[in-house]
Amino acid sequence: MKNLHFKDFFWNSDLTCTGGYDAIIQYLNDGKRTCKEVEDFMKARASIEEKYAKDLLGLSKKVCGHNEMNTLKRSLDVFKLQTEHVSLSHLQLAQSMREEAKKLEEFREKQREARKKVEQQIDALHKQKSSQFKKTIDSKKTYEQKCRDKEEADQNVNRYTNTNNTKHMEKLYSKAQQAKQNAEEADRLYQQNLSTLGKVRDDWLKEHVKACEMFEKQSVERINFLRNIVWTHLNQLSQQCVTSDELYEEARQSLEQCDVREDIEHFVNLRQTGDKPPAPVAYENFYTGQKPPNGAPPSRLPPPISRRYDLLNGAGRRLRCFPSSNTQTLRGWNSYRAVRPVQCWRFL
């Protein structure tokens, strides 16, 4: 398949038309905008990676499993350490992305400077071409008008050839001669401007072809550069995934060394307080102060007491006397034997 090139397909039939050139410039401007967009994208992604790395680094410094012990504590320490390493790898990734974005920025500026010189040269040729074309067209119109004036003067001379007015004929001959000179001068100026326009056109054609070749080369370089830099960007992201997985694998290997029974036994050996439980709480009788033999159920009945003890103490209740109006209140047990009996006794 034949390769298509800028220099072969961006011409216009009108000499002053710049449609083909403008289409190429628009394409280059769009490409430059694409470079800037990719550059901004990579810078933004680098900022995201940097923020994530700093947040992850801060997270790895927080307490996690501080009170844990033995194999699980070691696994959690490795987990935190690998999290820190992952954050540092993301920080390095952010720096790499910024470096790639910087390369793209330098490439874009380099192309812009190279284009600027060519565009200025082509723009100057376009102005010169348009100016010369206008001058040529004006000189052509002048030439055509002078030719019509010459023809009119010649017709007047022919029309009055047989007249006897010599003075008038001389005047017509003079006008015809002057018209002829003016037409010749206009023709000379027209041919001169046309020749100049031809040279300007030839110069413009050469520079236009060179500009098309240069612009096409820039476009090829831009597409290749963008493709490669995005490819590199994706490789960096893939490598980051591999690096993170390797670091996480170390944490997983540490978790594989975590032994549940070993941790339980470690805690028991380190913090044990005794291997015998406390004995059951025995019943202690309030009255006898004796403890029942092991396994004997406690008695629910109080020990027997004497009648006299019951009378004096009221089985644990207070003794009160309600005498009649002609008796005296008892003053204790001794007074009870010295006076006559009270009328009644009541235990409360």
Side-chain angles (χ1 to χ4, degrees):
M1 181 178 178
K2 181 181 178 180
N3 292 330
L4 306 181
H5 300 286
F6 288 2
K7 65 181 181 180
D8 298 326
F9 295 95
F10 290 94
W11 299 105
N12 297 103
S13 57
D14 187 355
L15 182 61
T16 59
C17 181
T18 59
Y21 175 80
D22 294 340
I24 296 176
I25 294 299
Q26 182 63 44
Y27 176 71
L28 297 177
N29 289 335
D30 291 342
K32 181 176 67 174
R33 189 177 297 107
T34 301
C35 289
K36 185 65 169 64
E37 291 170 352
V38 173
E39 175 189 337
D40 293 341
F41 179 92
M42 298 182 68
K43 288 180 178 179
R45 180 60 188 268
S47 298
I48 293 173
E49 289 291 337
E50 183 178 19
K51 183 179 183 302
Y52 174 71
K54 291 181 178 179
D55 292 344
L56 199 60
L57 182 61
L59 181 63
S60 67
K61 301 299 182 182
K62 290 187 176 181
V63 175
C64 180
H66 177 71
N67 297 322
E68 198 51 65
M69 58 183 62
N70 208 34
T71 61
L72 181 58
K73 178 174 178 58
R74 290 195 294 269
S75 296
L76 292 177
D77 290 343
V78 173
F79 168 67
K80 288 181 57 180
L81 179 62
Q82 298 309 320
T83 301
E84 179 181 354
H85 290 168
V86 170
S87 70
L88 296 178
S89 67
H90 278 280
L91 199 61
Q92 181 62 37
L93 174 62
Q95 182 62 28
S96 299
M97 288 181 177
R98 285 197 172 91
E99 292 176 358
E100 293 299 316
K102 183 65 176 178
K103 292 179 182 178
L104 181 55
E105 181 181 4
E106 293 174 354
F107 172 81
R108 180 170 54 85
E109 288 299 319
K110 180 181 178 181
Q111 282 207 334
R112 187 182 67 84
E113 291 298 325
R115 276 183 53 196
K116 185 178 180 180
K117 296 178 180 179
V118 176
E119 288 180 12
Q120 289 177 347
Q121 185 177 3
I122 295 296
D123 289 341
L125 286 174
H126 282 165
K127 291 180 180 179
Q128 183 180 2
K129 181 184 61 173
S130 297
S131 175
Q132 187 60 38
F133 180 79
K134 184 177 181 302
K135 185 183 294 186
T136 302
I137 295 300
D138 290 341
S139 64
K140 177 183 177 182
K141 292 179 180 179
T142 302
Y143 163 71
E144 291 175 348
Q145 182 62 42
K146 296 302 182 181
C147 288
R148 285 191 289 268
D149 293 344
K150 176 180 175 298
E151 290 180 355
E152 183 179 356
D154 291 340
Q155 289 176 1
N156 289 333
V157 170
N158 293 333
R159 186 180 301 117
Y160 294 100
T161 302
N162 298 324
T163 184
N164 294 324
N165 192 342
T166 307
K167 187 182 249 186
H168 182 62
M169 287 298 299
E170 290 178 357
K171 187 176 181 181
L172 290 176
Y173 278 123
S174 176
K175 286 183 178 181
Q177 190 65 27
Q178 185 62 42
K180 180 181 179 180
Q181 293 177 358
N182 291 338
E184 291 175 352
E185 179 63 22
D187 181 48
R188 185 189 63 79
L189 184 60
Y190 172 47
Q191 291 187 28
Q192 180 181 349
N193 288 333
L194 191 61
S195 176
T196 303
L197 179 61
K199 293 179 181 179
V200 171
R201 175 183 174 277
D202 291 339
D203 294 340
W204 167 74
L205 287 176
K206 294 177 182 179
E207 295 302 326
H208 180 80
V209 170
K210 291 180 181 179
C212 287
E213 292 175 345
M214 183 265 190
F215 292 155
E216 183 177 340
K217 181 181 178 182
Q218 276 198 340
S219 298
V220 171
E221 292 175 352
R222 177 184 62 83
I223 294 173
N224 279 327
F225 191 87
L226 281 176
R227 182 184 63 177
N228 292 337
I229 202 168
V230 173
W231 193 292
T232 301
H233 177 74
L234 295 175
N235 284 344
Q236 290 173 342
L237 296 177
S238 297
Q239 182 60 45
Q240 177 60 41
C241 293
V242 173
T243 302
S244 298
D245 186 67
E246 291 175 350
L247 295 173
Y248 292 144
E249 180 62 24
E250 294 185 20
R252 285 192 290 266
Q253 291 176 358
S254 176
L255 289 172
E256 289 176 352
Q257 303 301 319
C258 179
D259 192 318
V260 178
R261 292 310 312 169
E262 182 179 344
D263 282 9
I264 296 297
E265 293 174 2
H266 176 80
F267 169 73
V268 171
N269 294 329
L270 183 66
R271 303 288 175 82
Q272 62 180 329
T273 58
D275 57 355
K276 294 181 180 180
V281 180
Y283 172 79
E284 297 181 7
N285 192 286
F286 176 76
Y287 299 101
T288 62
Q290 297 179 355
K291 298 181 180 180
N294 293 337
S299 176
R300 296 180 180 273
L301 298 176
I305 58 176
S306 64
R307 182 178 183 82
R308 183 176 179 178
Y309 182 83
D310 183 86
L311 180 62
L312 292 176
N313 294 282
R317 295 178 292 178
R318 291 182 299 168
L319 178 65
R320 294 186 63 182
C321 176
F322 297 91
S324 61
S325 59
N326 56 356
T327 61
Q328 297 180 354
T329 306
L330 294 179
R331 304 281 184 188
W333 180 251
N334 292 329
S335 299
Y336 172 73
R337 295 183 296 178
V339 299
R340 54 184 181 173
V342 294
Q343 195 172 29
C344 65
W345 290 91
R346 182 177 300 172
F347 289 94
L348 299 175

